[in-house]
Amino acid sequence: MKTPAILGGESAFREPLHVGKPNLPEKKTLCNYLDRIFNSRWLTNNGPLVIEFREKLEEFLQVKYCIPICNGTIALELAERALCFEDEVILPSFTFVATPHSLQWQRIRPVFADVGNDDVNVDPASIKTLLSSRTKGIIGVHVYGYPCDYSKINKIASESNVKVLYDAAHAFGCEVDGIPYAQLGDASIFSFHATKFFHSFEGGAIATNDEALAEEVRLMSNFGFAGGVLDQVDYLGINGKMTEISAAMGLAMLDSVEEIREKNRQNFELYKEVFAEIEGANLIEPPSSMTKQNWQYVVARMDENRFGLSRDMTVQALRAENIFARRYFYPGCHRMHPYRELYPSASNILPNTERLSEQVISFPTGQVINEEVISRIADCLCDISDNADQIRHKVE
Ligand SMILES: Cc1ncc(COP(=O)(O)O)c(C=O)c1O
């Protein structure tokens, strides 16, 4: 037992320990792809590496069409537009702000639904209460890679005659009930941001089994240019293309993805073991319906009464130890600009989101984390809990 750093003890880590430190592929594999870029001088505009990446993604995600995009946010915007989302779209508030921003940016009104009680994902019953004649779409977010209640959400959507988009930014390589996530809705988007377990520096993709939708997205993401012909524009489009360098990183990462998944799984198991001994730090575990996980988020729901300290004070005490655990997601998007001004009373109908966002702490995992680090993090949490009263007096 040591004195917590926030009370004057030495920090547990010399170097800051961050959530989302990027995983890396084999350098040699990436360099081989870089050689191809240098040899071809093809840097962007649907080059050979983007084509190869697209084909490998379709195979990996088990979906008919996958369009690589410059990032997950633009993928959301393009997919929403192709699905004719307008007016109002229902989505959870407990998500990264890119999800509502992608709607608001296109002057579509995001309507925030609550998560289920004791769940991190949107509650279909809450979606139902928000449906109106203005509802033109539903977005489900697979938070931390854990699946939304896709069968209920899809049923609500088809009964209301609206389309469903799944934000699978966290869910690369996951399956539920034996179904790959990319097959769950009318379309799904993925993010390949550097902090994601699988990435392409920056990047994203839109996945769908709908050929016409895929073609529309392809046109939209490249200024509406028809095929390879640069003077024929058949559609209103923007620039959402992925570059060759991103595709190179994505291809190299695909070679390491199973190794990284396994590393994440081992880390998760170790966290599970040590957190079981810490009263009030409840690890959020994947539901039994998940048949494939990526284990990329290690998130605990803190019970203040049992742990002895609020989530925010715990995060502060961890920072003093050089452990930069994150409040992910906090606050709910309904409390962020511009939504808090647009919907000042939204929190009244989002009680579960309010509670969840006050409780979650995300801990570091991935390639750079090992057993020793995890056990030191756990020791810090125990010391913080044991000294909760003193810490509270100090920071209050
Ligand atoms: C749930 C969710 N949706 C969308 C995005 C946006 O993806 P990107 O950062 O690639 O634009 C993120 C990114 O972190 C996310 O977590």
Side-chain angles (χ1 to χ4, degrees), residues 334-352:
H334 64 286
R335 285 186 177 268
M336 294 179 177
H337 180 78
Y339 314 108
R340 63 170 176 249
E341 291 83 9
L342 290 170
Y343 318 119
S345 52
S347 49
N348 296 338
I349 60 155
L350 302 169
N352 296 334

Side-chain angles (χ1 to χ4, degrees), residues 124-141:
S126 174
I127 294 179
K128 260 190 162 168
T129 63
L130 298 166
L131 286 166
S132 80
S133 57
R134 292 181 301 278
T135 309
K136 301 292 162 28
I138 298 172
I139 301 180
V141 182

Side-chain angles (χ1 to χ4, degrees), residues 41 43 59 84 105 129 170 188 226 248 252 284 334 352 376 392:
R41 282 190 188 257
L43 306 187
E59 195 184 331
C84 300
W105 194 254
T129 63
H170 294 183
S188 297
I284 303 178
H334 64 286
N352 296 334
R376 255 200 283 167
R392 199 175 319 101

Side-chain angles (χ1 to χ4, degrees), residues 69-76 94-100 102 141-144 167-170 189-196 201-205 297 326 328-329:
I69 299 290
C70 57
N71 61 55
T73 307
I74 298 294
L76 276 168
F94 194 74
T95 180
F96 184 62
V97 74
T99 324
S102 63
V141 182
H142 303 298
V143 173
Y144 311 140
D167 178 340
H170 294 183
I189 72 92
F190 294 86
S191 163
F192 305 147
H193 184 260
T195 53
K196 299 289 184 286
F201 296 117
E202 289 263 8
Y297 291 97
R326 284 192 61 196
Y328 193 67
F329 304 105

Side-chain angles (χ1 to χ4, degrees), residues 45 218-225 232-241:
N45 287 354
R218 230 176 265 129
L219 284 166
M220 279 183 184
S221 65
N222 188 23
F223 310 104
F225 284 129
Q232 187 186 328
V233 173
D234 282 355
Y235 216 88
L236 174 65
I238 56 165
N239 185 357
K241 298 188 302 291

